[in-house]
Amino acid sequence: MREWLLEGVVLSSGYVVVAALILIFVFVGKEALPLVTSAEVHEEVSVGSMIAPTTGPVWQPVAEVPKYALLPLFIGTLKVTLVALLIALPLAVGAAIYTSEFAGRRAREIIKPVVELLAGIPSVVLGFFTLMVLATWLQDSFNYRFRLNAISAGAGLALAVIPIVYTVAEDALSAVPQSFRDGALALGANRWQTAWRVVLPAAMPGVFAACVLGFGRAIGETMIVLMASGNAATLSWSPADSFRSFSATIAAELGEVVNGSAHYHVLFFLGALLFVITFLLNLLGLWFVRRVRSRLEGRVRKEAGA
Amino acid sequence: MRIAFLTLFLTFFCAACSGEARDTDSIITYGRENNSGTYMYFKEHVLGNADFAAEVQTLPGTAAVINAVSKDPGAIGYGGIGYVKGVRAIPVKKDANSPAVQPTLENVVNGTYPISRNLYFYTVGEPTGVAREFIAWVVGEEGQAVCEKVGYYPLAKAAQGSVTANGSKSDGGALTIKGSDTMVIAGQRWAEHFMEKNKGTMIQVTGGGSGTGIAALINGATDICQSSRPMKDKERQQIKEKFGKEATEIAVAMDGLAIFVHEASTVSAVSLEDLKAIYTGQLKSWKALAAKPK
């Protein structure tokens, strides 16, 4: 009887989470749909005119003739996500390798909780820190023309991405059976070779999953980008220029719009777009993890059979 | 795979280090996000409804603009006058030949400062009950004194007292006020003083931008909307359709838009025309601005 009850609780909490996710998507999709279907909205904007605008690649939603070009926002989002991942992934995975393979027990017991604590810092605080300290410091070091740019925002964003990637990657590395390390060391590999050539490949599915999670966080993070990006919707690919991202655009503009206006639907369309991008990337990540895992297992089996 | 990653990383690293270098001559423009009344006001009254250049960096809040300008020697920004701290607010000329006017209380209230505006309360229909009492107090002598104390400008004497309490004093009640970030400090002070005098009244003040406040008023989510720009005809229409009543506009204070530059900047004054050229991206260098025929 009690077991039945517990099972029911666990099962229903699982379904609630899934249902919430589906409902969110349905809601966002429903609010974005008029962009495709409503003739009234089409007088102002359509999906086609967002991708290939006749008024030039400009994002000026509050104007006599509102201009909703996706391109500048897309470039901005991609730019900052790339910068953030290029900074965060090597650092986070490196730190994870260090704590799981090289650090002594005491060092690990200090480093792991401290990095994980970083995940608890509200992104507003990270954004403010980036805006006040990091941006100035980077500008002074590299002499950027724009103080708020993709490098500074990306660096701030990396602070939010690192703990997530680190935690998941560290768990994956720690979960590699001790026998792998013992075997490698017995065959004459040194610790670095063991870590890089044996443990890391064995933990690759987990480490990759960590990176995908990090990507999701980076592309969706709002507050840091809103505060530290300068929000100028330029077409520049240079990471030293100011930019405007999807998420910051939604945050900055959604408050202004009247329910049901074209601008409102456009912002929900941006939200749906972000959702789809993250979803596709997660799928891709899953597929990649499967492939790596089956390859690894296949190899193990072959070796066992030989 | 590894080589591809390394190449990508190196390319990016090189790009990061090779960005356009800082120089003291380029004008770095800062402005407000497009959900703010300040943005709309600047666009309408200074740019003549032209679009902002794409390079204009927009920040959430006047405080953020000031902060950014204070750290950037080549920067220019605009925002509510009540905030100036750590930056220099420069005098503004209506056109190239008119005198430069300092952004002071006097000049804003008497109308000589070229970019000044009214700050408004909006209600659906004539305000009643607690809302009416509160508004009457705000446009009265005490409310105006409070507003001056927190760095906003009071209405000209003739415009004060436009709403009067209609007799019966309600004992308490709740009121929500939402809107302009420029006005949020004034709104909070008014609410605090009013609640102190009228125990039992609960007033909640939040910001979010004038557009947000007006949208909230249309959606029925707030009693009073604070706005730093007049309501558009389309918005009035929406209120009328939804509630069957006209929106009531009450001017409650005045504000000037100050033009901020870095404290070390040598610019002495700027005309509205120059501002338009700067913010639409036609004028990008301080030297060119200084060299313009006076």
Side-chain angles (χ1 to χ4, degrees):
Chain A
M1 177 65 191
R2 240 173 82 208
E3 201 171 308
W4 171 82
L5 198 72
L6 282 175
E7 210 179 287
V9 170
V10 174
L11 186 77
S12 53
S13 44
Y15 277 122
V16 166
V17 172
V18 174
L21 195 75
I22 292 176
L23 285 178
I24 288 173
F25 189 67
V26 167
F27 173 71
V28 173
K30 196 185 99 214
E31 297 297 338
L33 202 63
L35 204 58
V36 184
T37 54
S38 159
E40 199 183 325
V41 173
H42 277 178
E43 283 172 21
E44 202 174 311
V45 61
S46 68
V47 177
S49 79
M50 287 172 78
I51 295 168
T54 47
T55 42
V58 181
W59 179 267
Q60 289 274 356
V62 183
E64 305 254 279
V65 184
K67 300 167 196 74
Y68 305 95
L70 279 184
L71 192 63
L73 305 189
F74 187 74
I75 291 177
T77 309
L78 213 62
K79 208 160 79 169
V80 73
T81 308
L82 269 176
V83 173
L85 291 183
L86 281 172
I87 298 171
L89 296 189
L91 277 178
V93 174
I97 293 176
Y98 171 72
T99 32
S100 85
E101 302 305 312
F102 298 97
R105 232 188 62 187
R106 183 173 296 168
R108 181 182 325 175
E109 270 163 18
I110 295 171
I111 294 175
K112 194 157 193 237
V114 168
V115 177
E116 282 166 0
L117 209 64
L118 202 61
I121 300 177
S123 53
V124 153
V125 176
L126 290 177
F128 194 71
F129 169 74
T130 312
L131 177 69
M132 303 291 284
V133 183
L134 210 54
T136 307
W137 183 71
L138 283 167
Q139 191 187 30
D140 289 344
S141 319
F142 295 102
N143 228 357
Y144 296 130
R145 172 173 295 181
F146 297 101
R147 201 172 72 89
L148 302 176
N149 57 39
I151 304 275
S152 56
L157 208 49
L159 292 178
V161 174
I162 285 172
I164 294 175
V165 179
Y166 169 81
T167 308
V168 181
E170 213 273 344
D171 287 346
L173 288 166
S174 298
V176 172
Q178 186 59 31
S179 57
F180 279 41
R181 298 187 186 88
D182 294 344
L185 292 172
L187 287 171
N190 61 25
R191 284 175 81 188
W192 169 246
Q193 288 166 330
T194 309
W196 189 250
R197 302 246 177 100
V198 177
V199 180
L200 187 62
M204 210 53 202
V207 173
F208 193 77
C211 297
V212 173
L213 272 180
F215 174 88
R217 174 77 203 255
I219 202 171
E221 171 55 50
T222 307
M223 216 47 219
I224 299 174
V225 178
L226 180 64
M227 293 175 83
S229 68
N231 297 314
T234 58
L235 281 176
S236 156
W237 272 103
S238 163
D241 279 350
S242 176
F243 68 97
R244 190 178 183 92
S245 82
F246 285 136
S247 56
T249 303
I250 299 173
E253 295 175 12
L254 198 56
E256 140 84 2
V257 299
V258 176
N259 279 359
S261 62
H263 190 185
Y264 175 86
H265 294 305
V266 166
L267 291 179
F268 271 95
F269 178 76
L270 294 187
L273 205 63
L274 265 183
F275 196 100
V276 169
I277 293 174
T278 323
F279 183 73
L280 284 182
L281 205 99
N282 273 314
L283 268 190
L284 197 77
L286 205 69
W287 171 79
F288 186 79
V289 166
R290 281 245 176 92
R291 221 186 62 152
V292 171
R293 188 172 289 154
S294 67
R295 212 183 66 196
L296 278 176
E297 280 168 0
R299 189 184 294 161
V300 169
R301 222 174 289 131
K302 222 183 283 165
E303 278 160 12
Chain B
M1 172 85 182
R2 207 172 294 168
I3 289 173
F5 187 75
L6 205 69
T7 324
L8 191 70
F9 189 78
L10 279 178
T11 327
F12 225 78
F13 189 75
C14 294
C17 298
S18 69
E20 273 179 284
R22 175 154 51 155
D23 57 79
T24 48
D25 189 42
S26 303
I27 302 182
I28 309 287
T29 46
Y30 289 100
R32 289 291 313 280
E33 266 301 339
N34 60 25
N35 65 344
S36 76
T38 313
Y39 172 97
M40 288 298 292
Y41 181 86
F42 197 84
K43 190 177 168 83
E44 277 166 19
H45 289 82
V46 180
L47 302 192
N49 264 328
D51 282 348
F52 280 93
E55 292 79 27
V56 177
Q57 301 182 52
T58 62
L59 298 170
T62 298
V65 172
I66 290 195
N67 181 278
V69 171
S70 73
K71 294 192 160 159
D72 219 328
I76 188 167
Y78 62 85
I81 231 165
Y83 285 85
V84 184
K85 213 172 210 178
V87 292
R88 206 155 60 82
I90 51 176
V92 177
K93 298 191 278 192
K94 191 155 191 193
D95 50 56
N97 303 318
S98 44
V101 183
Q102 288 284 354
T104 59
L105 183 139
E106 246 186 348
N107 294 338
V108 169
V109 176
N110 70 22
T112 46
Y113 186 67
I115 28 183
S116 64
R117 57 180 173 172
N118 280 332
L119 301 176
Y120 301 101
F121 275 0
Y122 282 98
T123 54
V124 175
E126 282 291 317
T128 53
V130 202
R132 187 171 190 98
E133 266 175 54
F134 177 67
I135 295 171
W137 178 82
V138 164
V139 297
E141 217 166 292
E142 282 176 56
Q144 293 297 304
V146 169
C147 125
E148 197 174 335
K149 221 182 289 169
V150 288
Y152 295 80
Y153 298 158
L155 297 165
K157 278 277 179 278
Q160 290 185 11
S162 59
V163 174
T164 48
N166 50 356
S168 67
K169 206 169 154 49
S170 63
D171 31 321
L175 203 57
T176 55
I177 302 178
K178 192 171 172 61
S180 168
D181 284 323
T182 306
M183 296 169 70
V184 72
I185 299 175
Q188 274 162 356
R189 287 289 180 286
W190 278 326
E192 277 166 25
H193 284 265
F194 189 77
M195 285 191 285
E196 219 159 81
K197 284 184 43 144
N198 301 270
K199 300 281 181 212
T201 313
M202 264 304 297
I203 305 180
Q204 211 181 29
V205 184
T206 47
S210 301
T212 311
I214 292 174
L217 195 68
I218 294 171
N219 299 332
T222 186
D223 300 314
I224 297 177
C225 150
Q226 301 197 98
S227 177
S228 58
R229 64 167 167 87
M231 213 179 240
K232 293 179 216 157
D233 289 342
K234 202 171 150 197
E235 290 160 344
R236 286 180 177 277
Q237 196 59 37
Q238 278 170 322
I239 293 215
K240 206 172 169 194
E241 274 167 23
K242 188 144 180 199
F243 300 96
K245 291 184 214 164
E246 294 283 348
T248 308
E249 173 182 287
I250 306 121
V252 291
M254 290 194 79
D255 185 29
L257 269 195
I259 305 299
F260 312 123
V261 293
H262 191 264
E263 276 188 325
S265 165
T266 54
V267 183
S268 57
V270 62
S271 71
L272 292 186
E273 206 182 312
D274 295 337
L275 280 174
K276 179 174 178 181
I278 290 171
Y279 274 92
T280 50
Q282 284 146 15
L283 190 58
K284 294 184 171 178
S285 128
W286 288 113
K287 281 199 193 100
L289 177 66
K292 276 185 78 168
K294 296 287 174 219

